[in-house]
Each structure stands twice: as structure tokens, then as C-alpha cells.
Amino acid sequence: MEDALLVIVDAANVVGSVPDGWWRDRRGAAERLRDRLAADGLPGHEGRVDILLVVEGAARGVEPVPGVRVASAPGSGDDHMVELVAAAGDRPVLVVTADRELRRRVAALGADVTGPRAVRR
């Protein structure tokens, strides 16, 4: 899917953007986000997308599903997302997060950034 937009989703940040009790079951919350991404894709985007959900901490080990790849960060999720953006080369990348420092870091590498609302519709 090299020609598709790579959409890297900061699972912890997107899940944490709505106080719906996610903290009681972080893995379950990440799985619900994964399933919503698989069903809805990137609302408002007409082209092909390659969705990569980055999980960390208690959510590590969430399995991929058709339409959503999952990367378990070995340490910091933010650092892992920066590495993924750097490894994408010239491929167009959109990072979904509200984390200001992460937004700054990935934008410096050429990625576009949007907030959690883009995938929480």
C-alpha cells in the first residue's frame, strides 16, 4: 500500500481524549478504537489509507484486523511513532494525536497532523 496515505494513530492519546472509562480497560478501549477504524477508515478522506494503530503499555498485544495494522511500541509510544514517520521516507503520512510535543516532532519530519476528532466521529 505504498501509494496509500499512511495514517499513524496514537491509540493512547485518541482513547484518552474522551472520559468514557477507558482507564478501567486500556486494552479493550484500544480494541474498540481499532474496530471503529476498521469500520470507518478515515472519515472525509477519499483516497486509499493504510491505518497503523500504535499501542503501548497495557494495550500492547492488541491484534490487527483487516484494514488496521497494529504496532506495539516496545517503549515510548511517542518515540515509536517518530521512528515510524522517519522510516516512511517520502510517503505521505498523517499522524492522529493531540499531544503537542509529538505533533511538533512528527511535523518536523514532514508528517501532517490532525487531532483525535478526525477518527472519533
Side-chain angles (χ1 to χ4, degrees):
M1 291 181 79
E2 286 295 319
D3 59 333
L5 172 66
L6 175 58
V7 180
I8 300 174
V9 179
D10 180 351
N13 189 267
V14 172
V15 164
S17 69
V18 176
D20 60 2
W22 58 265
W23 52 89
R24 291 187 293 267
D25 180 11
R26 293 168 192 259
R27 184 182 178 120
E31 289 170 339
R32 288 188 296 279
L33 174 58
R34 175 205 60 199
D35 295 346
R36 189 168 52 252
L37 291 167
D40 297 343
L42 181 62
H45 182 76
E46 296 299 318
R48 291 173 26 125
V49 294
D50 176 15
I51 299 174
L52 179 58
L53 181 67
V54 176
V55 296
E56 61 185 307
R60 280 191 192 102
V62 167
E63 295 294 323
V65 296
V68 179
R69 296 184 296 132
V70 179
S72 290
S76 160
D78 290 1
D79 290 345
H80 192 62
M81 285 180 273
V82 170
E83 291 168 6
L84 291 167
V85 170
D90 292 334
R91 185 175 184 191
V93 178
L94 175 66
V95 176
V96 181
T97 187
D99 182 301
R100 288 183 182 154
E101 178 61 16
L102 177 59
R103 291 170 75 100
R104 183 195 65 74
R105 292 172 67 192
V106 298
L109 294 171
D112 289 323
V113 184
T114 192
R117 286 188 201 157
V119 297
R120 289 213 60 126
R121 297 179 187 186

